[in-house]
Amino acid sequence: MSGQTGIAFIGTGFVADYYMTTLANHPQLRLTGVWDIDRARLRQFSDYWKVHAYSSAEEALADPAVAIVVNLTPPESHHAVNRAALLAGKHVYCEKPLAMTVDEARELVGLAAEKGLILAGAPANALSDARAHCADILASGVIGTPRLAYAEMEDGPVFHDKWQEWRSRSGAKWPAVHEFEIGCTLEHAGYAASWLVSLFGPVANVAAFSALTFPDKGPGTETLTLGPDFSVGCLTFRSGLVARLTSGLAAPRDRSLTITGDKGTIVVRDLWDNRSPIHVELAGARRPLFHRLIERLEWQFQRKFPFRLTAGKPVAYASAAAKNILPAYPSQIDFVRGIAAQADAIRSGSTPFFSGETALHLTDIVLALNAGKRDHTPVGL
């Protein structure tokens, strides 16, 4: 296809298969090749997906067909890979976070600006159909001025499951031990923070607490130093809204967002679902028992009925886009949508929302939540 934007993956671990699954949704992108420091994993990935494997990271960065380097390496490598790609003159799309410290992230954002490049960051779930629909509901004024939000990023007590057996489509092991070491907040808080910042603007203050509540996550973790498996933060937005953001790997799974305004409440069922059902309830409205029972069943069994509830009346849910290919539950996110938005912005000479100072702002928020900072003013924006 003429006019495609060339992209290259650095890192072919577990998450890379999610990107490959959703790449077909965006024909304006062309994957030129992939690279991974683990040669066996690189071969497994490239053989499964029938994609070119670079002989080295240097070869990938020197490829003139590559406009955007997609950094899918472990978080500890993000700064080094991002920096090398920017110095090679490539735009960068990085899995969360941009770096492991705010100073490193700020350095990268400055380097990208200096070179006239776009440094964008995951996650892409805040570019979802559900988020667009939620923004439309807020803009309609049906719930009045939003005052309070509860964002949940509880992924459930996965350490009780058979995580040693989990594999991606192409055969990568789920990096459980590494995820337990780095902590659920760095891995997951961005999924909620990106929604909140895109809907309500910059955060003025973070007041957070984090803890390791289950130090033994199973065989192979007994002697490790594990990261927090629980964090809670209160975010005060410059717009006046206040939000609570909870992340965890212990409590029952809940990835919902509740927004309460003067006139009613919006509930987004699952921030990891590109087409999550959204329920709107006006203050003082009493939904019929039938509708309440349907909603409860939908929530419990992860069913997707095509309606939202507004003042107890079913209203058609109109998705903004045709159905795309998505990974299987629970990660029903169009992972490549962020790269596509970046490529479109490069073509038009604009700036994608989740890049530059916004990406830095989100990185600082997540790092503050993970560290349990009690009184923190995020940088950026």
Side-chain angles (χ1 to χ4, degrees):
M1 178 179 175
S2 61
Q4 288 179 306
T5 299
I7 65 174
F9 291 177
I10 304 295
T12 59
F14 194 91
V15 74
D17 281 346
Y18 290 146
Y19 281 80
M20 288 303 301
T21 300
T22 57
L23 182 60
N25 297 330
H26 306 283
Q28 71 269 45
L29 302 176
R30 179 172 65 89
L31 181 63
T32 62
V34 299
W35 163 252
D36 196 292
I37 195 171
D38 183 335
R39 297 301 183 105
R41 174 57 194 155
L42 175 63
R43 187 180 311 110
Q44 184 184 41
F45 184 89
S46 61
D47 287 349
Y48 181 88
W49 292 106
K50 304 296 187 290
V51 295
H52 172 64
Y54 289 108
S55 61
S56 66
E58 291 74 20
E59 182 190 7
L61 297 182
D63 186 348
V66 176
I68 302 173
V69 169
V70 181
N71 185 356
L72 305 181
T73 62
E76 296 89 342
S77 300
H78 285 182
H79 173 261
V81 173
N82 289 341
R83 187 173 186 277
L86 292 170
L87 289 174
K90 307 296 185 184
H91 302 283
V92 175
Y93 183 87
C94 181
E95 258 297 330
K96 57 198 175 337
L98 290 183
M100 293 295 286
T101 70
V102 175
D103 287 342
E104 288 181 342
R106 185 189 288 112
E107 174 203 350
L108 293 171
V109 170
L111 179 60
E114 175 187 323
K115 291 189 166 292
L117 299 168
I118 291 179
L119 171 62
N125 68 312
L127 298 172
S128 66
D129 297 351
R131 186 269 171 200
H133 190 47
C134 183
D136 288 344
I137 296 170
L138 285 168
S140 75
V142 68
I143 70 161
T145 301
R147 305 288 185 178
L148 177 67
Y150 288 170
E152 314 292 352
M153 266 295 125
E154 299 284 359
D155 205 31
V158 296
F159 55 92
H160 287 320
D161 211 330
K162 297 179 180 179
W163 52 264
Q164 298 92 338
E165 302 174 8
W166 292 352
R167 298 290 186 275
S168 68
R169 282 185 61 178
S170 65
K173 293 182 179 179
W174 183 58
V177 172
H178 182 263
E179 183 147 335
F180 296 153
E181 286 182 304
I182 199 170
C184 62
T185 306
L186 279 180
E187 293 287 355
H188 293 157
Y191 291 109
S194 60
W195 266 69
L196 293 171
V197 169
S198 68
L199 291 173
F200 305 116
V203 172
N205 183 267
V206 177
F209 169 82
S210 64
L212 175 62
T213 60
F214 288 82
D216 183 358
K217 294 292 195 297
T221 69
E222 299 91 344
T223 61
L224 298 178
T225 301
L226 304 185
D229 56 13
F230 168 80
S231 72
V232 60
C234 293
L235 312 180
T236 303
F237 288 76
R238 294 181 202 165
S239 62
L241 179 127
V242 173
R244 184 202 70 200
L245 197 168
T246 306
S247 301
L249 280 179
R253 178 175 286 161
D254 182 357
R255 296 190 296 256
S256 64
L257 171 64
T258 302
I259 304 167
T260 301
D262 299 321
K263 302 177 183 177
T265 298
I266 299 171
V267 179
V268 182
R269 207 271 311 282
D270 191 344
L271 297 179
W272 280 17
D273 185 344
N274 187 63
R275 301 178 207 94
S276 173
I278 297 175
H279 304 280
V280 180
E281 184 172 351
L282 301 186
R286 181 69 176 172
R287 296 196 309 278
L289 177 61
F290 172 74
H291 290 147
R292 282 182 279 142
L293 288 174
I294 291 241
E295 181 179 350
R296 186 176 303 171
L297 287 170
E298 179 189 28
W299 202 282
Q300 183 176 357
F301 297 108
Q302 302 293 312
R303 299 176 67 182
K304 296 182 176 65
F305 298 126
F307 63 78
R308 58 185 174 88
L309 297 178
T310 304
K313 298 179 180 179
V315 180
Y317 183 107
S319 177
K323 285 192 174 182
N324 291 335
I325 300 169
L326 298 172
Y329 179 82
S331 301
Q332 294 186 290
I333 299 167
D334 188 343
F335 282 78
V336 178
R337 188 171 285 190
I339 308 170
Q342 182 178 9
D344 292 344
I346 293 169
R347 287 171 179 267
S348 65
S350 58
T351 301
F353 182 81
F354 293 107
S355 67
E357 293 294 323
T358 301
L360 174 61
H361 188 64
L362 286 165
T363 297
D364 193 2
I365 291 169
V366 171
L367 290 173
L369 291 169
N370 186 66
K373 292 187 177 181
R374 304 299 174 89
D375 184 10
H376 179 70
T377 302
V379 301
L381 301 182

